[in-house]
Amino acid sequence: MDLIRGRTPSAQVVGTELRRLRKARYWSGTRLARALGVNQSTMSRIENGLANISRELVMAALAHLAAGRADRERVLSVFAEERDAHSWLERGHDRPKQLDTLVEFEREAARQSGRITDVSMMLVPGLLQIPAYTREIMRLGGVAPTEVEKWVRVRQARQLVLGQLDFIAVLDEGVLARPVGGSDVMANQLRAILDVAGRERTTVRVLPTGNPSIALNGSWVLMSTGPRPVVHLEHLRSGLFVFAEADVSAYEIATATVMSASLGPAESSNLIRDYLTTFAAAAKE
């Protein structure tokens, strides 16, 4: 891989390393930009992980900054990691680029032992879904029957990051009550959530119906994957990443507000068990 796309975890890692090395040499951003033959604006975007960055330009920057062998190998290894980033996950031409980027951020969070907080008002988060639940979501979303199993495999593969990072799911109580796929599917889904909630580094909290909060404005995912957090917003047919510092800060505040309004882990598990009991009984009828 000779090019890393901007606004990805890999671009953030490379940009941060170049900034660190530049400052260690007491070079200004303007001086490095001039040496590389780019303008100051481009240099700033590169260091902030916002611009595409080529291996050739990085090698030139490392040479100008007289980077040592260890620094060169560390920075250039990111290009190899980018090339192999999806070795465990089928990547087709019909996969939305937003999904590829989301997978990259999730994997980077796991690699850095970071944190993902998923505030979900409508559905069980993808990282917690069982296959039967995902199939029903895909069916309701109009996914072609021949494509459903591929998307189920993709979603299950994404869950490999669990246990490698701190994952916090904040679920609206309505998510627990909504019978996606019927009573049997929901009973199994809630059992799976309780199982994951009992594992190390995974927390599930419920936002009670009686506690209206800012989350009524919609769902979001806050990911701490590098030098700065990133927010992901998912829609029916697309996704949006929020990088602007002021906007991300607003979501950080919103996340803290929702967390304070939600039940604690133990209380949340008890509520999930109540819904599980209801669905399990209905499934036997």
Side-chain angles (χ1 to χ4, degrees):
M1 178 69 68
D2 293 323
L3 181 73
I4 290 177
R5 290 183 294 115
R7 298 180 181 271
T8 63
S10 296
Q12 289 190 330
V13 170
V14 171
T16 299
E17 284 296 304
L18 290 181
R19 183 190 301 110
R20 180 184 66 80
L21 292 169
R22 173 177 64 76
K23 290 185 175 181
R25 294 284 294 176
Y26 298 101
W27 276 38
S28 67
T30 300
R31 180 178 178 182
L32 181 57
R34 188 181 302 114
L36 295 175
V38 300
N39 60 46
Q40 174 58 33
S41 175
T42 298
M43 192 69 245
S44 177
R45 287 173 57 79
I46 288 172
E47 291 189 348
N48 284 291
L50 301 178
N52 293 346
I53 183 167
S54 69
R55 182 185 179 90
E56 180 181 12
L57 185 142
V58 170
M59 291 180 67
L62 294 173
H64 284 298
L65 297 173
R69 178 178 178 180
D71 286 326
R72 291 198 308 273
E73 291 180 350
R74 182 172 60 255
V75 175
L76 294 176
S77 70
V78 178
F79 285 85
E81 291 173 2
E82 175 79 358
R83 181 181 62 245
D84 299 329
H86 302 285
S87 60
W88 53 272
L89 186 59
E90 177 186 1
R91 184 174 186 173
H93 68 279
D94 56 344
R95 282 261 301 280
K97 289 184 178 179
Q98 295 98 332
L99 177 57
D100 287 327
T101 303
L102 175 61
V103 170
E104 290 175 11
F105 275 114
E106 290 174 344
R107 294 186 77 253
E108 184 64 19
R111 190 178 73 84
Q112 297 187 14
S113 194
R115 170 179 291 186
I116 293 179
T117 303
D118 193 324
V119 178
S120 185
M121 297 298 292
M122 298 298 294
L123 301 170
V124 172
L127 292 180
L128 297 180
Q129 290 179 12
I130 63 173
Y133 188 98
T134 302
R135 290 189 187 97
E136 182 64 9
I137 294 301
M138 295 299 160
R139 185 187 71 79
L140 293 172
V143 175
T146 55
E147 297 291 305
V148 169
E149 289 308 311
K150 177 184 70 175
W151 291 103
V152 170
R153 290 194 297 272
V154 168
R155 192 149 294 183
Q156 291 296 298
R158 285 173 51 204
Q159 295 176 8
L160 293 174
V161 301
L162 294 178
Q164 302 178 54
L165 46 71
D166 294 322
F167 179 67
I168 302 172
V170 182
L171 312 180
D172 182 75
E173 186 175 348
V175 173
L176 309 179
R178 191 167 293 113
V180 175
S183 297
D184 188 52
V185 171
M186 278 305 300
N188 288 329
Q189 177 63 79
L190 296 180
R191 289 190 187 95
I193 291 175
L194 287 171
D195 176 64
V196 173
R199 299 179 189 175
E200 187 176 2
R201 305 193 69 180
T202 301
T203 303
V204 177
R205 301 179 66 163
V206 177
L207 185 63
T209 302
N211 284 8
S213 75
I214 193 171
L216 291 174
N217 289 287
S219 304
W220 68 85
V221 181
L222 177 64
M223 298 179 284
S224 300
T225 60
R228 64 190 64 192
V230 174
V231 173
H232 180 245
L233 307 175
E234 187 171 355
H235 305 288
L236 177 63
R237 304 283 295 184
S238 64
L240 171 69
F241 289 92
V242 178
F243 295 91
E245 186 174 349
D247 293 331
V248 172
S249 178
Y251 279 100
E252 290 180 305
I253 294 172
T255 299
T257 300
V258 171
M259 291 283 284
S260 66
S262 66
L263 300 177
E267 292 177 289
S268 296
S269 292
N270 288 336
L271 185 56
I272 294 172
R273 289 190 187 93
D274 289 342
Y275 279 98
L276 168 57
T277 299
T278 299
F279 281 120
K284 293 179 180 178
E285 295 178 356

